[in-house]
Amino acid sequence: MDKVLSYLTLNTRQFHELTLRVRVILSQLPLSLTVVLILVGGALFHRELFESQAFLIGVALQAVLLGLCVAVPWDRLPHATFLVIPLLDFIPIGFMRYGSGTTITGVGLLTVFPVIWLAASGLFPRAALAAGFLGALGVVWVPVFVTDAEVNSQTLTQSFLLPFIMLAVGVTIRVMTASMMAQQEVVEEKDRALQVLLEDSARRERLLETVVNSVDIGLIALDETGRPVLANRKLEQLRTLAGGSGGTAEEDLRIYQQDGETALPVARRPARRAAEGQVFSDYLLWWGDQPDQRVLSTSSRLMTNQAGTREGSVVTFNDVTELVTALNAKDEFVATVSHELRTPLTAIRGYLELLTTMPDLEPAVASGLEVVSRNSERLHKLVVDLLSTAEGTPEITPVPTDFSGLVGRRIATAQEGNSNPLVRFEDHTDPGLVALCDAPRIGQVLDNLLSNAIKYSPGGGRVTVRAAEVDGEVECSVTDQGSGMSPEELKGVFSKFFRTSGARNAAIPGVGLGLAISKAIVERHGGAITCRSVEGTGSTFTFRLPLAHVGQDQQLQAQ
Ligand code: ADP
């Protein structure tokens, strides 16, 4: 019903959606209703109209045609069959026009209805226009020929205007219909494209939802104001672990710092940091309470639109509890083993020292003891390194130190122990540098850098040490012309137990702890250590330390 009403209010889009039978009835209805109007007018003011047999035949035929519109199952017949109704409409109109004579004028104008219907159908456009014209001509001329009236130019041209007016109406309707149809085609095409897009976007959404919910990583997407727009199931599970349910605020979640007990301030929580547009990786959090506490590694990335403007962020929560537990177990193991090794090793070194100082040793025994002593020193260094790694942050006591002197002495020691005659040392240290540092610890860093420079220059070359005051800090660098490292290897050079494949293959002694320890020592001083290296050309390690401002009464530490 809505659709019929909609059609009556000239909504053509709705009209196309009706069944063909309803459309045929609706198209015939205006003519039928006008005929009813003529009948009512005739009954009230021109009763003589009903005495005309031709008029009554016309009315009856019109009623039959309306009946046909209702009765015939147009949907099941070939599509254009319904056009027979507007074509046949000219016959009752002809009868009614002839029958009404001069009682009611203008009945011939009823031909406008079938003409419009034919033209608006959009089918056989030319034939429809011709049929409309001939139909209207028939309505005008047939009575002239079939009655006794004289056929002459006057009678023939009397109502000659009607067919031409109908032709003009037909053409106008045809043009309008064609343009409407073209517009409708465009709209329908857009509709179809939109439908395809909608289906595509629904499919993508389903895919995204499936992927997001099937990964074992908690995910949350925030818009540019920091409001969550998407969260996966894993994140919900993790939130439950931290005491959160659907509507729990971020600050009420039980998230802790590294000790697993101190609450992480809200401003440092990943969602808040991401909402502020920060990008971070591997940010560790202790999530929930013991004994179910988990360690999560969180990362945040920005979402940007095509113009590059931030549209929000995505934060991931990866459960790394097992990994962290394994790393802690490894550190504990290293600490225990090195501790257990240290005691017997101290005894061995003590007795070795005693033995080597004994008089009148056989040369063979003395050289054997020398080998044992050298190797026990290596073992001792390894144990010290392992213990130092296991203890984590090194303890330091920074005091104003004669840095230039310290460097000179470490170079001299390195030169003494250097067994590669192809390696030469050059010292470009500025005199009088005073650093605020723990001399034995920084000495350890220098020893490590110098021994590496020798170890990884098997083909020899220059080892250059530079130290100077730069931007209010002491900067020291050790450059060699040795094997160097690839950019990929360079990334891991300060990691614990890292060794390049070249060092491993060449069986150069080492366990990959020296640089990790050196980095920890330098950073504990508030400084930084970096490395530049070109494979096959050499490497430069540079570290910076705070400068000490020594007063006259202060004494310099010089070890
Ligand atoms: P170690 O020397 O005992 O193996 P380090 O921590 O001192 O341990 O060094 C780690 C790794 O970095 C080395 O094994 C080596 O592969 C690489 N490396 C360190 N210094 C240099 C250098 N000067 N030139 C080339 N490679 C180096």
Side-chain angles (χ1 to χ4, degrees), residues 381 385 448-457 478-480 482-485 489 492-504 508-518 531 533 538-541:
K381 186 178 175 306
D385 277 359
N448 184 46
L449 296 185
L450 290 168
S451 72
N452 278 354
I454 301 169
K455 269 198 300 188
Y456 302 108
S457 303
V478 178
T479 305
D480 63 60
S483 57
M485 282 170 276
E489 289 171 334
V493 78
F494 293 108
S495 313
K496 284 182 201 169
F497 301 107
F498 171 83
R499 304 215 72 207
T500 59
S501 51
R504 275 198 308 271
I508 299 174
V511 284
L513 285 176
L515 287 177
I517 295 169
S518 302
C531 173
S533 187
S539 314
T540 298
F541 286 85

Side-chain angles (χ1 to χ4, degrees), residues 134-429:
L134 293 175
L137 194 66
V139 167
V140 178
W141 272 4
V142 170
V144 178
F145 286 108
V146 297
T147 55
D148 302 337
E150 196 186 331
V151 180
N152 57 30
S153 57
Q154 212 184 355
T155 51
L156 285 178
T157 54
Q158 214 169 23
S159 305
F160 201 57
L161 209 53
L162 185 75
F164 284 101
I165 291 176
M166 290 308 137
L167 183 64
V169 169
V171 169
T172 311
I173 295 293
R174 170 67 205 139
V175 169
M176 279 164 62
T177 311
S179 130
M180 243 164 55
M181 281 171 138
Q183 274 179 23
Q184 187 144 350
E185 190 71 17
V186 172
V187 171
E188 275 169 10
E189 185 58 39
K190 282 190 179 154
D191 254 15
R192 276 193 292 275
L194 204 68
Q195 199 61 34
V196 170
L197 275 178
L198 275 175
E199 275 165 23
D200 204 40
S201 117
R203 209 177 46 244
R204 274 165 192 269
E205 204 175 310
R206 281 197 301 276
L207 180 73
L208 178 74
E209 208 178 292
T210 315
V211 171
V212 158
N213 281 324
S214 53
V215 291
D216 199 31
I217 289 177
L219 271 175
I220 187 167
L222 308 166
D223 66 12
E224 65 271 33
T225 62
R227 215 162 36 88
V229 285
L230 179 107
N232 71 349
R233 256 178 243 143
K234 179 73 185 178
L235 185 78
E236 287 310 316
Q237 289 169 11
L238 290 173
R239 280 174 68 87
T240 317
L241 202 68
S245 54
T248 312
E250 175 78 21
E251 50 267 36
D252 295 332
L253 293 178
R254 294 198 287 277
I255 304 175
Y256 303 102
Q257 304 185 29
Q258 195 171 2
D259 61 6
E261 285 171 5
T262 316
L264 187 71
V266 177
R268 279 171 48 205
R269 296 190 174 194
R272 182 62 67 87
R273 289 183 62 188
E276 285 167 5
Q278 293 184 31
V279 174
F280 50 89
S281 298
D282 280 336
Y283 181 51
L284 290 186
L285 310 170
W286 277 253
W287 195 268
D289 295 313
Q290 290 291 6
D292 298 323
Q293 193 171 62
R294 311 293 296 171
V295 186
L296 301 187
S297 160
T298 63
S299 303
S300 161
R301 293 287 173 276
L302 295 184
M303 288 191 291
T304 48
N305 59 18
Q306 278 178 335
T309 319
R310 186 168 85 87
E311 277 192 331
S313 302
V314 176
V315 190
T316 58
F317 299 77
N318 192 11
D319 190 338
V320 291
T321 314
E322 273 71 36
L323 185 68
V324 170
T325 313
L327 285 175
N328 286 343
K330 189 188 79 178
D331 283 351
E332 257 171 53
F333 174 76
V334 169
T336 315
V337 170
S338 22
H339 207 79
E340 291 304 314
L341 282 176
R342 193 165 59 171
T343 321
L345 200 58
T346 313
I348 292 171
R349 289 174 70 223
Y351 276 103
L352 261 176
E353 214 176 302
L354 208 69
L355 287 172
T356 44
T357 50
M358 278 176 73
D360 306 327
L361 278 178
E362 293 265 329
V365 175
S367 107
L369 283 178
E370 173 60 32
V371 174
V372 175
S373 171
R374 226 181 23 246
N375 281 294
S376 75
E377 270 320 301
R378 262 182 68 189
L379 212 54
H380 174 72
K381 186 178 175 306
L382 175 64
V383 169
V384 169
D385 277 359
L386 283 173
L387 274 173
S388 161
T389 314
E391 96 188 358
T393 325
E395 284 304 318
I396 58 158
T397 318
V399 289
T401 304
D402 169 13
F403 190 76
S404 310
L406 178 66
V407 173
R409 283 190 300 282
R410 298 332 300 171
I411 294 176
T413 312
Q415 253 167 335
E416 254 170 52
N418 175 25
S419 53
N420 185 348
L422 300 173
V423 172
R424 284 174 292 119
F425 284 86
E426 274 185 26
D427 184 0
H428 295 291
T429 306

Side-chain angles (χ1 to χ4, degrees), residues 397-403 433-439 546-551 554-559:
T397 318
V399 289
T401 304
D402 169 13
F403 190 76
L433 292 172
V434 182
L436 188 63
C437 67
D438 184 317
L547 203 63
H549 301 284
V550 202
Q554 272 182 288
Q555 258 206 318
L556 282 189
Q557 179 104 1
Q559 291 193 22

